Amino acid sequence: MVAERDGTALVPGSYDPVTLGHVDIITRAADVFEHVIVAVVNASVRKTESVFDVDERVAFIEAEVAGLGNVEVKPFSNLLVEFARENGASAVVKGLRAISDFEYEFEMNQLNRKMAPDIESMYLMAAPEYSFLSSSGVKEIATFGGDLTGLVPAQVASRLQEALKR
Ligand code: ADP
């Protein structure tokens, strides 16, 4: 039985590029919430430059969620909690991988809670098969021409190989 879905949630990230781990989290969030907005970081405070520009990162995700009727993909360049308010979202959903994500997410949670106690952050545990999958790991594999099957969507794999292969 599927419970009635309610509310809007953001699923934020830099998605450079989207992986099947991200797609799993987005799909599971879409099972729980009435409306899901995948929020793609445009201007990041992180110094490292992205491989794909924001339009391309958005397009990769759109291709993967096209079959889900309640998911849309939007870039954002302001504070996540502000973007949540602008879009009427009451929750932020994040994926948690094996141990490594916890400390960072714990800190971000405290900061976001202070700024916006009305927006709840929720965490979905990574599926076992994706627990050690990250965008940065995928980029490293692609740099050396490794096989990305089962890690990223096929379209992303070929674009990434093109972009990074030495
Ligand atoms: P990454 O950390 O791989 O560069 P992002 O910054 O785009 O990815 O991450 C966006 C969100 O997706 C974060 O909440 C992150 O914890 C989550 N996430 C990333 N990869 C996975 C995965 N393989 N399984 C579950 N959640 C993930």
Side-chain angles (χ1 to χ4, degrees), residues 18-162:
V18 66
T19 69
L20 296 184
H22 292 131
V23 174
D24 181 59
I25 297 294
I26 295 164
T27 306
R28 288 160 60 195
D31 273 344
V32 176
F33 290 90
E34 186 182 3
H35 182 205
V36 165
I37 300 170
V38 181
V40 182
V41 175
N42 190 355
S44 176
V45 289
R46 294 178 206 168
K47 298 257 165 18
T48 49
E49 225 176 276
S50 61
V51 174
F52 297 107
D53 66 28
V54 73
D55 294 339
E56 204 162 11
R57 283 180 277 138
V58 166
F60 287 147
I61 304 167
E62 277 173 344
E64 294 312 302
V65 301
L68 302 170
N70 60 338
V71 178
E72 65 180 316
V73 189
K74 289 183 173 184
F76 74 106
S77 344
N78 50 348
L79 273 178
L80 182 66
V81 291
E82 273 171 17
F83 188 69
R85 288 215 177 95
E86 281 166 22
N87 285 277
S90 55
V92 172
V93 173
K94 308 208 73 182
L96 277 188
R97 285 163 294 194
I99 314 166
S100 54
D101 283 329
F102 181 80
E103 200 171 346
Y104 174 76
E105 294 298 346
F106 196 66
E107 181 185 330
M108 285 309 297
N109 183 282
Q110 311 299 318
L111 297 172
N112 283 334
R113 179 189 301 273
K114 196 162 182 339
M115 289 184 286
D118 51 317
I119 295 169
E120 190 60 90
S121 298
M122 307 178 82
Y123 303 88
L124 298 181
M125 289 296 164
E129 63 270 40
Y130 302 133
S131 281
F132 296 95
L133 176 57
S134 67
S135 296
S136 54
V138 159
K139 282 182 275 197
E140 222 165 286
I141 294 171
T143 302
F144 298 102
D147 185 9
L148 297 175
T149 311
L151 304 180
V152 296
Q155 185 201 184
V156 173
S158 61
R159 281 288 293 111
L160 194 58
Q161 301 282 14
E162 245 173 64

